[in-house]
Amino acid sequence: MNDVLKVARRDAKLALAHIYIAFIALALGGLAGLLQTLVRSGKFNLPANISYYTILTTHGVLLGLVLTTFFIIGFQFAAVSRTTGAFSDRNRFWGWIGFWLMTIGTAVTAFFILIGEASVLYTFYAPLQAHPGFYLGLTLVVVGSWISGFVLFAQYARWKKANPGQVGPLLSFMAVVNMVLWLICSLGVAATVLIQLLPWSLGLVDQINVLVSRTLFWYFGHPLVYFWLLPAYMVWYAIIPKVIGGKMFSDSLARLSFILFLLFSIPVGFHHQLMEPGIDPFWKYVQVVLTFMVVIPSLMTAFAMFATFEMYGRSKGAAGLFGWLRKLPWGDARFFAPFVGMLFFIPAGAGGLVNASHQLDQVVHNTIWVTGHFHLTLATTVVLTFFGAAYWLIPHLSGRIMTRAMNRLAIIQTIVWVVGMSFMSGAMHFAGLLGAPRRSAFSTYANSPQALEWIPYQIAQAVGGTILFIGIILVLVIVTNLAFFAPKGETEFPVAEVAEQAERTPLVFENWKLWIGIAIILILIAYTIPFIDMIQNAPPGSKGYKLW
Ligand code: HAS
Ligand code: CU
């Protein structure tokens, strides 16, 4: 199955182009993040009248939307080329079209943010209104990503045609699931942008239905977080076992968890709108139940990872309940960074369960607790896994090798990240419980005693933010080295084999009509009635606001 061992050179270029943009976004977005934590400590003001909200929007868009989408598509292109063979010329050509559309779109969006015409944050909630150029730029990014999705589907179909009756390679299967998920969910954001936000910001209509717009956004926004998470799970399931020298616990379990994500990721957007009026509590309840369903594949993943590690440790003679822990390759950054990501996912996921519980969400919603939550999930679990992947992926693609010195630096980088994030995200969680709001610049709210309580935590956030910025500089040093300066040589693209005792993978996982059909039915059940309600009983629309 894994007979293609290298990503073809021309595909490597395409994948690398995406990864470069991702790390440029990390550099700029990280700088914005540093500035924010400094401002919020109350000890620092932005120079030259730059607005806090301009910086905050830059940060969220570059890291939440640009870094992720570019890294994921680059990684998936590489993974699919590695496991199904070199792209056809036509597929590669369209891959480049997708890349350029996304890149031009990013540049347009960034331009309007930086000139201060679009400080609407990365969720661009109505009734905040941005310059039309902001929405147009984002549209190009999404359309580009769709093209890339179809390139992957076409490549996968080519492999299936050449290998009739065989199950597709695991990594390619996973990339296809992730892009199907992305395609279905991004229709929601495309709808609100094209039908509501663009005409409204162009002045063609003067009012917008805010609730419909937010609902379409979160129909997209929750699966978006799994679009980020699933590539990390690809690394955990299909690559980490090989990195540690072991085998994958079960191919079927990995596929089943991905299918469950496809089914349950989408009909759950209301868990971001639990505090919003205008949605019947019954439908919030339905979507909370579905949210708890989508936790199951993550629990399956935790189980599979423990099983993989334990199986490997015992094969090396480990004894006792946790003896296997000592057998893991702690000095290998390709393992260490993603492993720390897994570890942090335990409290991060627990925080998610808090958010998803309607009553508890009343305490934390719109507080900086939520910001703390996604800096554990996205900015630690996912991002550390991506860094860990970059440590072999970039040299594999650039024809170089990672030196021992760089590996050591990568271990240090991971530790710096852990320390910085523990300060920053930890302080955010605590301050959130004390009521500190998210999405807001520094204020003592007329020296109210409650707001003064938050200040020590805000200083801790700035300390953490500064340490994290050092972490960003370190990873940029490593990545630049791996891309341009490291010694030439061959680096392996690790792909794990399945353990001998695992069951054969059934073909039913590739019954796309079935899974996409069920996903659509679940979406219709969860959204049809409340959506009709929102339109039939719509309150008066809102004009646009520019509050920055
Ligand atoms: Fe979340 C808000 C609920 C996961 C990202 N989330 C956000 C926002 C972002 C985000 C960006 O229900 C803010 C959006 C905004 O701007 O408003 N989230 C959840 C739930 C999960 C969850 C139930 N979130 C994520 C992931 C994200 C992410 C993943 C990004 C990648 N989230 C919410 C809710 C809100 C929310 C509400 C709205 C809050 C509000 O009020 O606005 C679940 O998927 C989590 C399940 C995960 C687990 C953990 C399993 C553990 C594993 C690790 C195993 C470890 C090993 C190592 C093997 C149950 C798999 C062990 C080794 C040893 C030695 C111990
Ligand atoms: Cu969510």
Side-chain angles (χ1 to χ4, degrees), residues 255-272:
R255 287 181 206 245
L256 177 62
S257 87
F258 270 59
I259 292 294
L260 291 178
F261 275 115
L262 179 59
L263 302 186
F264 293 110
S265 286
I266 307 172
V268 297
F270 284 173
H271 71 223
H272 294 266

Side-chain angles (χ1 to χ4, degrees), residues 269-300:
F270 284 173
H271 71 223
H272 294 266
Q273 300 176 280
L274 292 174
M275 297 305 120
E276 244 167 274
I279 303 170
D280 189 285
F282 173 77
W283 294 105
K284 291 182 179 170
Y285 175 75
V286 168
Q287 294 211 11
V288 163
V289 171
L290 291 166
T291 302
F292 279 86
M293 295 294 290
V294 80
V295 172
I296 293 172
S298 281
L299 295 176
M300 286 165 57

Side-chain angles (χ1 to χ4, degrees), residues 376-456:
L376 289 185
T377 48
L378 174 60
T380 309
T381 302
V382 170
V383 160
L384 279 182
T385 302
F386 288 179
F387 290 169
Y391 299 150
W392 50 262
L393 181 59
I394 295 179
H396 177 88
L397 300 173
S398 66
R400 297 176 190 274
I401 52 173
M402 191 175 196
T403 58
R404 276 162 158 272
M406 281 300 138
N407 182 62
R408 272 186 61 140
L409 197 59
I411 300 268
I412 296 172
Q413 197 283 335
T414 309
I415 295 169
V416 168
W417 204 264
V418 165
V419 175
M421 197 54 88
S422 301
F423 268 102
M424 192 180 85
S425 176
M428 286 172 163
H429 278 90
F430 282 111
L433 290 179
L434 297 173
R438 65 182 286 208
R439 308 189 185 97
S440 61
F442 180 77
S443 169
T444 59
Y445 299 89
N447 286 332
S448 89
Q450 188 180 6
L452 296 179
E453 274 186 353
W454 307 329
I455 291 180

Side-chain angles (χ1 to χ4, degrees), residues 122-123 125 218 222 225-226 228-229 233 236 261 271-272 274 291 294-295 298-299 301-303 305-306 309 324-325 339 341-343 345-346 348-357 361 364-366 370 373-374 377-378 382 438-439:
Y122 87 114
T123 42
Y125 265 5
W218 286 118
H222 184 78
V225 315
Y226 293 126
W228 301 332
L229 181 68
Y233 278 10
W236 297 5
F261 275 115
H271 71 223
H272 294 266
L274 292 174
T291 302
V294 80
V295 172
S298 281
L299 295 176
T301 305
F303 172 78
M305 297 321 296
F306 274 112
F309 295 149
W324 48 271
L325 266 174
F339 181 88
M342 293 175 200
L343 211 58
F345 203 39
I346 297 173
L353 299 180
V354 168
N355 301 343
S357 312
D361 190 50
V364 298
H365 184 62
N366 277 345
V370 175
H373 164 68
F374 66 72
T377 48
L378 174 60
V382 170
R438 65 182 286 208
R439 308 189 185 97

